């Protein structure tokens, strides 16, 4: 938890000198994953690190969408962000990060032998991500902000798929 605290404390200052603070944000937010594993199991299982990596890709994607909203203000203030760093490649960068996130989640589901309901949740999440592409491709600030908020639905779809999958696998309906 001390590592997580340090990551979190440093993050707000990164926009002043680090050109890709969205990656740091992903690690800072995602560090709760290995912490939860350690608290529950007494050790950090390999799957925690895979989930942390997936979380980093997702945070890069959604926070770049948010950075697309703030790009002009950040540039005027001399701040750094992935949207500024990627320039006109920002939309492609978001979609690559979202794709890596989804592929990671598919791999984790396969590795953990999850069932079809989990993968259905991922398919619904993928549909929300496709919608995000159509929202951000014109780089309109309002639509980029909508895409950022759309990630709530991505998370809900994955959570629902996982929860229902585990509920049915637990034998409640078997």
């Amino acid at each position: 938890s001390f590592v997580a605290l340090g990551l979190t404390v440093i993050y707000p200052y990164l926009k002043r000198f680090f050109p890709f603070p969205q990656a740091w944000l992903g690690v800072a937010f995602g560090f709760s994953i290995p912490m939860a594993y350690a608290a529950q199991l007494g050790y950090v299982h390999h799957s925690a690190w895979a989930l942390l990596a997936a979380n980093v890709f997702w945070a890069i994607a959604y926070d770049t969408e948010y950075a697309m909203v703030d790009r002009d203000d950040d540039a005027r203030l001399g701040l750094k962000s992935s949207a500024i760093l990627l320039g006109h490649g920002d939309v492609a960068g978001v979609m690559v990060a979202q794709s890596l996130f989804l592929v990671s989640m598919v791999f984790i589901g396969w590795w953990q032998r999850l069932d079809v309901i989990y993968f259905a949740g991922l398919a619904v999440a993928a549909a929300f991500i496709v919608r995000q592409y159509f929202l951000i491709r014109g780089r309109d600030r309002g639509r980029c902000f909508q895409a950022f908020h759309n990630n709530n639905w991505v998370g809900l779809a994955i959570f629902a798929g996982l929860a229902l999958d585990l509920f049915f696998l637990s034998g409640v309906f078997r």
Side-chain angles (χ1 to χ4, degrees), residues 125-138:
F128 284 119
I129 289 170
V130 168
R131 173 160 164 60
Q132 289 177 28
Y133 168 75
F134 290 104
L135 288 169
I136 68 173
R137 68 182 178 173

Side-chain angles (χ1 to χ4, degrees), residues 74-139:
D74 286 348
R76 194 173 36 241
L77 294 171
L79 300 176
K80 313 278 193 253
S81 76
S82 56
I84 293 169
L85 178 69
L86 295 171
H88 213 63
D90 54 356
V91 174
V94 168
M95 290 299 108
V96 166
Q98 289 284 32
S99 297
L100 290 170
F101 165 62
L102 285 174
V103 167
S104 298
M105 295 305 289
V106 166
F107 170 75
I108 291 166
W110 169 81
W111 179 24
Q112 299 301 309
R113 296 188 175 127
L114 297 174
D115 214 333
V116 68
I117 300 171
Y118 169 77
F119 293 101
L122 287 182
V124 172
F128 284 119
I129 289 170
V130 168
R131 173 160 164 60
Q132 289 177 28
Y133 168 75
F134 290 104
L135 288 169
I136 68 173
R137 68 182 178 173
R139 295 177 180 84

Side-chain angles (χ1 to χ4, degrees), residues 19-52:
F20 205 59
Q22 285 67 27
W24 189 282
L25 178 72
V27 175
F29 279 6
F31 215 80
S32 61
I33 297 166
M35 287 172 46
Y37 270 77
Q40 289 298 307
L41 302 176
Y43 66 97
V44 180
H45 188 268
H46 303 305
S47 58
W49 301 114
L51 285 167
L52 174 62

